[in-house]
Amino acid sequence: DIVMTQTPLSSPVTLGQPASISCRSSQSLVHSDGNTYLSWLQQRPGQPPRLLIDKISNRFSGVPDRFSGSGAGTDFTLKISRVEAEDVGVYYCMQATQFPRTFGQGTKLEIK
Amino acid sequence: EVQLAESGGGLVKPGGSLRLSCAASGFTFSSYSMNWVRQAPGKGLEWVSSISSSSSHIYYADSVKGRFTISRDNAKNSLYMQMNSLRAEDTAVYYCARSGGFDIWGQGTMVTVSS
């Protein structure tokens, strides 16, 4: 199974400041079709998860452009350019390159 | 509006069974693979199972293999999970999610396994 490791597990951030979350996979996420199926999900308190970004850097419909994804192979990053109050929650990376699908442990974003 | 709505959760004794449903609306259900993901109280996300659009490909997490069965009815725009031999560690909110990209999620249904 592919293990997804996120750092940090907790990130206190000042409103208006940037935030960054890293995700490392135990093996390459490049699929045989050439795509890299690495997604980022946001889960606000009391809410279901919501897709933010898929295939490393493609923002899903309705996701603000302050969210961006980057990386390749086994190392990926989610960046929030300027944190807003509504960004509080837990962020997960997830791989859909092979079964079983696996998630990172989650990174809790909170406001200082 | 694209929506998924889970139902069927509840309290069940260890060893019991439960059938979850996920009703899809606002999109062509038969064109998408579907997934079940669960989240134990206070814990992270765990993928449970996936089914292709025509039911030809089905996958399970090792933790549920042999006990859970995923299925779908494209005529009814519905996804199902038959859960047998339930254990305390199956206690979780169960979400259905659309496609290989997990791009749409339902609100979840709570399953509690306890005597």
Side-chain angles (χ1 to χ4, degrees):
Chain A
D1 298 2
I2 297 177
V3 177
M4 306 296 287
T5 304
Q6 290 181 228
T7 54
L9 297 184
S10 178
S11 180
V13 183
T14 301
L15 286 173
Q17 292 301 302
S20 179
I21 301 170
S22 295
C23 176
R24 176 167 288 178
S25 57
S26 60
Q27 55 187 274
S28 174
L29 297 186
V30 179
H31 192 275
S32 56
D33 65 8
N35 289 308
T36 300
Y37 295 99
L38 183 284
S39 298
W40 289 97
L41 304 162
Q42 175 197 60
Q43 188 173 30
R44 291 170 172 153
Q47 295 294 312
R50 163 198 180 200
L51 178 67
L52 293 177
I53 288 171
D54 70 355
K55 295 181 191 173
I56 303 177
S57 59
N58 297 327
R59 264 191 311 276
F60 189 55
S61 174
V63 174
D65 61 8
R66 65 179 181 274
F67 290 93
S68 64
S70 63
T74 62
D75 287 284
F76 307 94
T77 302
L78 174 70
K79 291 184 179 175
I80 309 174
S81 58
R82 294 172 307 278
V83 171
E84 298 188 4
E86 67 178 18
D87 299 335
V88 165
V90 180
Y91 292 78
Y92 297 92
C93 60
M94 187 205 85
Q95 67 82 19
T97 293
Q98 69 174 239
F99 288 98
R101 306 316 195 198
T102 47
F103 296 87
Q105 319 95 300
T107 295
K108 188 172 186 178
L109 185 76
E110 47 199 6
I111 305 300
K112 277 183 187 173
Chain B
E1 184 186 0
V2 175
Q3 281 189 330
L4 296 171
E6 303 90 340
S7 60
L11 174 63
V12 61
K13 289 181 167 53
S17 298
L18 215 52
R19 189 195 196 206
L20 305 183
S21 299
C22 169
S25 59
F27 65 98
T28 305
F29 179 73
S30 60
S31 296
Y32 292 86
S33 62
M34 295 294 295
N35 312 277
W36 287 102
V37 176
R38 68 184 180 183
Q39 186 170 37
K43 302 296 185 182
L45 301 172
E46 180 189 14
W47 170 79
V48 175
S49 182
S50 297
I51 186 168
S52 62
S53 58
S54 63
S55 304
S56 58
H57 295 91
I58 287 175
Y59 305 89
Y60 297 101
D62 286 345
S63 57
V64 307
K65 202 173 294 183
R67 301 187 299 120
F68 290 12
T69 302
I70 191 172
S71 62
R72 63 189 296 160
D73 186 334
N74 286 343
K76 294 183 178 179
N77 293 332
S78 293
L79 173 72
Y80 306 101
M81 178 64 81
Q82 177 66 43
M83 309 163 67
N84 299 331
S85 303
L86 282 161
R87 306 166 179 166
E89 55 265 35
D90 295 318
T91 294
V93 174
Y94 286 73
Y95 298 101
C96 58
R98 187 181 79 166
S99 83
F102 293 71
D103 58 354
I104 302 295
W105 293 65
Q107 290 294 314
T109 187
M110 182 72 204
V111 172
T112 303
V113 185
S114 174
S115 53

